[in-house]
Amino acid sequence: MTPLNRRAFLAQVSLTTAALSVPQFGFSSAGRPPEFTETEIIHGRIRGTRQDGVNIFKGIPYGGRISGDRRFRRPAPLEPWTGVRDTLQVGPPAIQAPRRNEPAPAEDCLFLNVWTPANDNRQRPVMFYSHGGGFVIGSGASASQDGSNLARNFDVVVVQTNHRLGLLGFLYLDELAGSDYAGSGNMGMLDIVDGLKWVHDNIARFGGDPANVMIFGESGGGAKTSCLYTMPSAAPYFNKASIESGPGVRMTPKEVAAETTAMLLNKLNIAPKDWRKLLEVPAADLLTIQAKLPSVAPFVAKNNKKPLMDRRAGGFAPVVDGVVLPHHPFDPAAPALSRNKPLLVGWNEDEYTFFAWERKDTEFAKLDFEGLQKRLDPQYGEDTPKIIAAYRNANPNASAPEIFVAVSSITMMGLGSVDIAEKKVKQNGAPVYLYNFGYKSEKKIPGTDYPMGTPHAMDISFKFNNEIPPRDGSAPKESFFGGNRPERFAASHNFAELWTTFAKTGKPAARNAPAWPAYNLKTRPTMRISEQCEVITNRFSEELLMWRSIGRL
């Protein structure tokens, strides 16, 4: 098993349904009858619930039909309704495998959820989250990203969407299907833009400020945020952004996307001139075919050195079509379109332990340094000795498994995050802030004595302030990834306060954290977020120097 790196992270994340279906948190007050609240939006009146000081509206339609003759196209107009529409349950997620505690996935999936302290005129900052799961799974209803605590404890409005994924969201038909299908390779991203437009048009009714919107997302949601940061259609609807463990430096070139389309048609025995037959294939059959194609297109190096150069055909992700997505998000430079929009970017210190857990990889925990060389060789070849030497020199007390996790984690998510931060600094525009999440979970990876540490996806429940003691005073339950230590509550509060302050002001800050300087190319300050936050200058300097020397950063 070769180590994961950031070229393949979307492919692996697309398989990790378990991380996106973690157990429910105790957000509501048990035993109390629900209180209802109503508000008027552009398309009609809706009814939500009020729970513990938060108004919650789930399953609000923000777009019309995208099935039938609207498949692979922009949505049909959303029709107004009469009377009061209940928005008490989440809407169906995009077509994928069934998800626990959610409706059955459906092709018509354009629904969003809103959490707000009150439907008043307070003009609170809006935090618009794009879920993870690569570009093929996930939803805006995952329990770990419930927005109640952010809204209640930090006086913000939280919005999350379901949107098209996989083949139905990113199949490139522009060269076959004509003008009605323009932008087909980015339908999933344009759905998110429609969600942002809905926020602009409606969020004042929820006590939100349409002129102060932060977009953020983790893993695949970070890559989606990278794309939004580059898209002209999204630009009017947000003011700042955060890319979390999902540095989307490059997306799919349209030539590669066209190869994927040809591959799909071939598997379905459909001639290119008969592409319209795709509209007749049941969505479930398309999902089956999607699973038989190569996984979400990983980044591939042209020279086996420089990362993030190309994508192989076979997977589904946003397409650099020159119009909807005019160019790669952060290659060769940060997008001029968002020059004046502040940015947060960073990653978790132990990203790989999530994938070890998900893939049942216990062998890495048994490595000695000879085994480490063999484990890294398939990925890094002649550079392996340099990599190991640099990491052993910088971390003289680290074991072979610890070095393996460090190398795998930084290549998956860290190098791309640093690359984005550096390119943003070179714009001489709005500031960028670099972070590492470092709270250490004591939970062991099953089958090993190796702790999870700070795995991929653990930051979700922390940044949403969902690592808190139960509101009813009962004993805290073990966190899915975060473990049992009570220090996790302080780490979660710090993370959430930094993010919500950024949403409010464009500068991250928290009462129990030191001042967070903007990133620069001299001192390279990085905020390490945990129960005690600290700013570290030139973090990983020796390791990053090595990665640059071998052409991987």
Side-chain angles (χ1 to χ4, degrees):
M1 188 184 309
T2 58
L4 290 172
N5 57 60
R6 63 191 170 122
R7 288 172 258 166
F9 87 89
L10 291 178
Q12 294 300 327
V13 172
S14 72
L15 305 176
T16 56
T17 55
L20 300 170
S21 303
V22 298
Q24 295 287 334
F25 297 91
F27 297 116
S28 61
S29 296
R32 292 184 189 174
E35 299 177 26
F36 296 103
T37 183
E38 296 183 7
T39 195
E40 188 85 21
I41 59 176
I42 285 178
H43 290 92
R45 195 159 185 83
I46 57 174
R47 177 187 293 118
T49 59
R50 183 162 183 82
Q51 301 177 26
D52 296 328
V54 178
N55 290 350
I56 304 171
F57 299 84
K58 294 182 176 181
I60 304 172
Y62 70 91
R65 181 174 54 83
I66 47 176
S67 60
D69 64 349
R70 287 286 174 166
R71 181 182 282 179
F72 310 123
R73 294 174 60 196
R74 302 299 297 124
L78 180 61
E79 298 296 332
W81 54 85
T82 58
V84 181
R85 180 175 183 137
D86 281 342
T87 52
L88 308 175
Q89 302 292 332
V90 298
I95 292 293
Q96 59 191 284
R99 297 176 58 80
R100 186 171 57 182
N101 300 320
E102 295 186 34
E107 196 163 350
D108 289 314
C109 62
L110 302 187
F111 299 91
L112 56 77
N113 310 315
V114 179
W115 294 262
T116 180
N119 290 71
D120 54 20
N121 297 310
R122 288 282 302 278
Q123 293 193 314
R124 298 170 180 85
V126 181
M127 300 182 71
F128 184 99
Y129 187 73
S130 292
H131 66 74
F135 294 101
V136 295
I137 63 167
S139 85
S142 180
S144 60
Q145 64 199 40
D146 184 289
S148 298
N149 287 330
L150 277 187
R152 176 188 303 110
N153 298 333
F154 297 95
D155 200 35
V156 296
V157 179
V158 181
V159 181
Q160 300 178 24
T161 68
N162 290 350
H163 42 268
R164 278 175 280 187
L165 299 169
L167 187 160
L168 290 167
F170 300 99
L171 180 66
Y172 181 65
L173 293 171
D174 290 35
E175 296 170 14
L176 293 178
S179 60
D180 283 350
Y181 292 83
S184 55
N186 289 300
M187 285 297 118
M189 291 306 308
L190 288 171
D191 291 344
I192 300 174
V193 174
D194 284 348
L196 283 167
K197 185 178 186 301
W198 184 96
V199 165
H200 180 269
D201 294 342
N202 293 281
I203 208 65
R205 299 282 186 150
F206 298 83
D209 182 358
N212 189 12
V213 177
M214 170 186 172
I215 57 172
F216 68 129
E218 183 271 347
S219 193
K224 293 168 191 173
T225 304
S226 301
C227 292
L228 293 170
Y229 204 69
T230 311
M231 293 172 60
S233 58
Y237 302 124
F238 73 93
N239 313 89
K240 55 190 76 73
S242 176
I243 299 168
E244 304 145 12
S245 294
V249 176
R250 291 179 63 90
M251 290 295 129
T252 306
K254 62 182 179 181
E255 297 80 9
V256 176
E259 291 177 26
T260 298
T261 302
M263 187 184 300
L264 172 72
L265 293 172
N266 182 61
K267 284 190 174 293
L268 289 169
N269 295 313
I270 296 175
K273 65 181 178 61
D274 297 325
W275 65 268
R276 283 190 177 275
K277 291 183 179 179
L278 286 170
L279 306 180
E280 303 167 8
V281 180
D285 293 347
L286 290 178
L287 183 64
T288 299
I289 291 292
Q290 176 180 300
K292 294 179 180 178
L293 295 172
S295 57
V296 175
F299 294 109
V300 182
K302 284 181 178 176
N303 57 6
N304 202 31
K305 282 275 192 179
K306 191 72 174 175
L308 302 178
M309 294 297 290
D310 283 316
R311 285 176 173 268
R312 288 194 294 266
F316 297 97
V319 178
V320 182
D321 60 7
V323 180
V324 176
L325 192 61
H327 47 75
H328 294 289
F330 286 93
D331 186 49
L337 186 72
S338 292
R339 181 179 183 273
N340 295 320
K341 296 181 179 183
L343 181 65
L344 281 168
V345 63
W347 75 100
N348 297 354
E349 289 178 350
D350 305 303
E351 300 274 2
Y352 182 78
T353 59
F354 170 92
F355 297 94
W357 165 80
E358 188 267 333
R359 299 167 73 189
K360 297 180 172 59
D361 174 17
T362 59
E363 294 304 309
F364 87 92
K366 305 173 186 176
L367 291 172
D368 56 18
F369 283 101
E370 181 180 354
L372 177 64
Q373 170 93 26
K374 294 177 180 177
R375 183 76 183 253
L376 295 178
D377 265 342
Q379 180 66 39
Y380 301 107
E382 64 182 15
D383 292 327
T384 301
K386 300 175 188 176
I387 294 169
I388 294 174
Y391 272 80
R392 293 193 74 175
N393 190 60
N395 308 274
N397 297 320
S399 66
E402 287 170 336
I403 287 179
F404 177 76
V405 169
V407 168
S408 301
S409 298
I410 202 169
T411 53
M412 288 164 61
M413 307 297 176
L415 297 182
S417 299
V418 171
D419 188 30
I420 286 173
E422 291 180 348
K423 288 171 176 173
K424 181 66 178 170
V425 168
K426 290 174 183 177
Q427 277 192 320
N428 294 314
V432 58
Y433 301 89
L434 186 67
Y435 77 90
N436 296 140
F437 181 45
Y439 176 80
K440 299 303 178 189
S441 171
E442 80 283 4
K443 289 189 73 170
K444 299 294 194 295
I445 297 171
T448 78
D449 288 325
Y450 199 95
M452 294 292 291
T454 316
H456 185 72
M458 191 176 88
D459 56 309
I460 301 173
S461 62
F462 280 73
K463 73 169 66 84
F464 277 92
N465 199 213
N466 289 334
E467 299 289 342
I468 61 173
R471 293 177 59 79
D472 61 8
S474 60
K477 295 180 180 179
E478 183 179 57
S479 170
F480 188 76
F481 281 140
N484 269 319
R485 293 196 299 119
E487 289 85 355
R488 71 185 187 276
F489 305 140
S492 180
H493 190 280
N494 290 338
F495 209 148
E497 187 176 0
L498 288 165
W499 258 234
T500 53
T501 304
F502 180 73
K504 294 171 183 176
T505 69
K507 180 176 175 59
R511 285 167 294 177
N512 293 323
W516 186 348
Y519 195 71
N520 64 75
L521 301 183
K522 183 178 180 181
T523 61
R524 300 178 182 272
T526 302
M527 176 67 82
R528 183 179 187 273
I529 302 169
S530 189
E531 67 268 36
Q532 292 184 331
C533 297
E534 61 176 321
V535 174
I536 303 174
T537 58
N538 288 311
R539 192 168 199 206
F540 305 122
S541 58
E542 187 170 342
E543 296 95 321
L544 293 175
L545 181 64
M546 177 274 300
W547 290 118
R548 289 188 176 92
S549 75
I550 63 174
R552 293 179 182 263
L553 176 60

